[in-house]
Amino acid sequence: MLDIQLLRKDLPAVVAGLGRRGVVFDETAFRSLEDERKTLQTRTEELQAKRNSLSKQIGMLKGKGDDTSAVMTEVAGLGDDLKANEVALAALQERLNAFLRVIPNIPRADVPAGKSADDNVEVRRWGTPRQFDFTPKDHVDVGAALGGLDFETAAKLSGARFSVLKGGVARLHRAIAQFFLDVQTQEHGYTEVYVPYMVSGECADGVSSLAKFKEDLFKIEGRDLYLIPTAEYPVTNFVRDSILDIKDLPLKFACHSPCFRSEAGSYGKDTRGMIRQHQFDKVEVVQIVPPDQSADAHEALTSHAEAVLKKLELPFRTMLLCTGDMGFSSAKTYDLEVWLPAQNTYREISSCSNFEAFQARRMGARFRNAQGKTETLHTINGSGLAVGRTLVAILENYQRADGGVDVPKVLQSYMGGTTSLPPG
RNA sequence: GGAAAGGUGGCAGAGUGGUCGAAUGCGCCGGACUCGAAAUCCGGUGUACGGGCUUCCCGUACCGUGGGUUCGAAUCCCACCCUUUCCGCCA
């Protein structure tokens, strides 16, 4: 959520900032809501003040045993007017709030303007795609040859966009997650956390807009609970409705969890294989920091995600997303894209975003600064990394002509010393 | 799932209709005392929104959440949520 103080103080800056991401801010609607709010609030608070002071008088008179009927009559006259104003004010604040909560974040100044993924900017590239002396298969065929990827059984169980892993492939999948968690906790200082895989609507609306994106989530029937689309949902909400001590910052968490996404609106996209699934595993890294540290923390967090790709020796590039391709809550996002030989292209495997105060404001996450004043925190998170897509990348990049797949060096110890998955 | 008890400030804990945003203690901050510290003493110490002559003052709201009763609700009524204990069930 944007800072309403900023909207009041410098509306043109907000309009211009949102304009960069192609969002038209309805100034007229906002101004009229604000004007009405001001009138109603002033009027309501005046009436409340009057009622309070008259009621206190009644209390004092009764204490002395004096007659209160005159004051009672006076205060009774306020009743209907006051009630009407209170109801109107509450309704208006509800509208103002709803209005504000569906407005996306303002991109940072260093985010390039653009309309779509085509306008994203490559900021660096690492590794050289392997030259194959045979035609590389895609991960579906590689997995099938290993007897480890079974989409038919998954479809029988749950329909499209699910997968069943078996044998060495299932073990490799587990190894990847363990490896990610170990790197992030042991080398980058994140605290490992285990969390609920369902969160309340309130928490969901803290990290994004539930009103706008609820069709992307799986909801539990008859309950105010949603399956998490990323561990960002529970983990960022650790600090909801709280005021942290500056000495406890920054907070850094790493969390392995399954992620559930309805993938509404992605019909026909990535239908083959496990690129786009309703359920996938991910290790998420989250940082909660004071505002003056968020830009640096965002760069650091991105490098933490890159570090695991380097260790896996998977070629990737880092893209700075343009204003038009960023998520709702983000002020600046880097996507890491891993090389997939069968597609002959780079595909997203991590997304690292700085939300600045946007999520924290929605959640009521604050800290007490050096001056002792409460201030809104900044939140940052990224995938470190997506486990399923990493499996895909390994199967494709490490495949052999004989149909086997080599296990990346750093994962071998997680596989009981296994150096390769044999064909058949 | 059944029964009971309970949810109050950073923490503990008082408050069962009227100057209660809330006693008291602890903690924390500032000051005094001290060479320094401890102890002691004095003062201060919630959040959000609105307004103002904007290091401060004023108003409003907030005692789990949402409704209701009342001139007035932390206090009474209703619903819900959560916690604890006991019983049942269960990986």
Side-chain angles (χ1 to χ4, degrees), chain A residues 3-9 11 25-36 96 99-100 103:
Chain A
D3 184 1
I4 190 144
Q5 308 294 355
L6 179 66
L7 283 151
R8 287 174 188 151
K9 211 170 58 198
L11 192 55
F25 181 86
D26 191 343
E27 288 183 72
T28 316
F30 176 72
R31 285 221 170 84
S32 89
L33 281 171
E34 257 296 278
D35 286 348
E36 206 183 329
L96 193 54
F99 177 88
L100 287 174
I103 295 168

Side-chain angles (χ1 to χ4, degrees), chain A residues 101-171:
Chain A
R101 287 186 87 87
V102 295
I103 295 168
N105 204 357
I106 296 172
R108 286 179 63 99
D110 56 350
V111 172
K115 284 190 165 62
S116 72
D118 298 334
D119 301 315
N120 295 341
V121 174
E122 182 177 319
V123 292
R124 54 187 165 264
R125 191 180 281 230
W126 185 92
T128 310
R130 172 182 161 197
Q131 295 301 307
F132 288 86
D133 49 16
F134 59 95
T135 305
K137 295 181 286 195
D138 80 351
H139 71 280
V140 178
D141 292 337
V142 175
L146 295 170
L149 256 185
D150 182 353
F151 294 104
E152 289 71 32
T153 302
K156 185 163 70 181
L157 303 177
S158 314
R161 294 202 190 282
F162 287 95
S163 47
V164 166
L165 310 184
K166 294 176 182 166
V169 174
R171 189 181 194 187

Side-chain angles (χ1 to χ4, degrees), chain A residues 373-415:
Chain A
K373 292 245 189 282
T374 57
E375 201 178 333
T376 306
L377 286 159
H378 277 197
T379 58
I380 301 148
N381 69 51
S383 348
L385 309 161
V387 176
R389 287 190 180 180
T390 303
L391 180 70
V392 167
I394 290 171
L395 293 179
E396 293 199 7
N397 282 280
Y398 282 83
Q399 64 180 294
R400 297 189 314 233
D402 69 356
V405 170
D406 290 324
V407 174
K409 280 195 220 61
V410 290
L411 295 181
Q412 291 173 5
S413 63
Y414 290 89
M415 297 280 288

Side-chain angles (χ1 to χ4, degrees), chain A residues 162 173 177 181 193-199 217-218 226-235 255-261 277-284 385-388:
Chain A
F162 287 95
H173 183 263
L181 216 38
V193 291
Y194 170 83
V195 299
Y197 299 152
M198 302 173 207
V199 296
L217 304 178
F218 286 109
Y226 296 82
L227 291 179
I228 60 171
T230 156
E232 164 191 2
Y233 275 56
V235 176
C255 182
H256 171 216
S257 83
C259 304
F260 304 93
R261 300 187 181 178
Q277 302 269 278
H278 287 314
Q279 173 186 321
F280 63 95
D281 276 30
K282 183 157 60 65
V283 169
E284 184 79 356
L385 309 161
V387 176

Side-chain angles (χ1 to χ4, degrees), chain A residues 44-312:
Chain A
T44 304
E45 290 185 359
E46 275 170 6
L47 288 168
Q48 286 172 327
K50 195 163 179 188
R51 178 207 54 200
N52 289 347
S53 81
L54 289 175
S55 290
K56 267 184 185 172
Q57 274 185 44
I58 293 171
M60 285 188 286
L61 290 173
K62 284 206 166 174
K64 288 189 286 186
D66 290 351
D67 176 55
T68 59
S69 57
V71 189
M72 293 272 257
T73 316
E74 192 183 354
V75 77
L78 295 174
D80 292 346
D81 195 15
L82 176 58
K83 189 77 188 168
N85 273 278
E86 282 177 340
V87 168
L89 180 63
L92 191 81
Q93 276 168 337
E94 193 71 29
R95 271 167 64 203
L96 193 54
N97 201 34
F99 177 88
L100 287 174
R101 287 186 87 87
V102 295
I103 295 168
N105 204 357
I106 296 172
R108 286 179 63 99
D110 56 350
V111 172
K115 284 190 165 62
S116 72
D118 298 334
D119 301 315
N120 295 341
V121 174
E122 182 177 319
V123 292
R124 54 187 165 264
R125 191 180 281 230
W126 185 92
T128 310
R130 172 182 161 197
Q131 295 301 307
F132 288 86
D133 49 16
F134 59 95
T135 305
K137 295 181 286 195
D138 80 351
H139 71 280
V140 178
D141 292 337
V142 175
L146 295 170
L149 256 185
D150 182 353
F151 294 104
E152 289 71 32
T153 302
K156 185 163 70 181
L157 303 177
S158 314
R161 294 202 190 282
F162 287 95
S163 47
V164 166
L165 310 184
K166 294 176 182 166
V169 174
R171 189 181 194 187
L172 180 58
H173 183 263
R174 173 162 56 93
I176 292 166
Q178 299 300 309
F179 166 68
F180 286 170
L181 216 38
D182 283 347
V183 170
Q184 300 305 352
T185 57
Q186 290 165 24
E187 296 183 25
H188 302 141
Y190 292 87
T191 300
E192 180 171 349
V193 291
Y194 170 83
V195 299
Y197 299 152
M198 302 173 207
V199 296
S200 67
E202 203 175 39
C203 286
D205 200 61
V207 295
S208 183
S209 169
L210 192 57
K212 268 189 126 148
F213 303 110
K214 62 172 176 289
E215 61 284 352
D216 295 339
L217 304 178
F218 286 109
K219 187 176 192 299
I220 304 301
E221 179 82 46
R223 308 212 33 184
D224 179 35
L225 283 175
Y226 296 82
L227 291 179
I228 60 171
T230 156
E232 164 191 2
Y233 275 56
V235 176
T236 309
N237 274 288
F238 281 9
V239 294
R240 120 178 321 275
D241 284 329
S242 54
I243 301 175
L244 304 183
D245 195 316
I246 193 167
K247 74 175 193 304
D248 296 326
L249 300 173
L251 294 176
K252 296 171 72 178
F253 298 112
C255 182
H256 171 216
S257 83
C259 304
F260 304 93
R261 300 187 181 178
S262 77
E263 294 298 336
S266 63
Y267 301 110
K269 263 178 157 176
D270 301 311
T271 47
R272 181 175 162 85
M274 54 186 301
I275 291 285
R276 190 175 300 276
Q277 302 269 278
H278 287 314
Q279 173 186 321
F280 63 95
D281 276 30
K282 183 157 60 65
V283 169
E284 184 79 356
V285 284
V286 175
Q287 292 203 31
I288 292 158
V289 305
D292 59 341
Q293 290 172 27
S294 77
D296 287 347
H298 181 219
E299 297 298 326
L301 181 140
T302 305
S303 78
H304 298 154
E306 291 174 344
V308 286
L309 280 171
K310 291 178 183 174
K311 284 173 186 287
L312 288 167

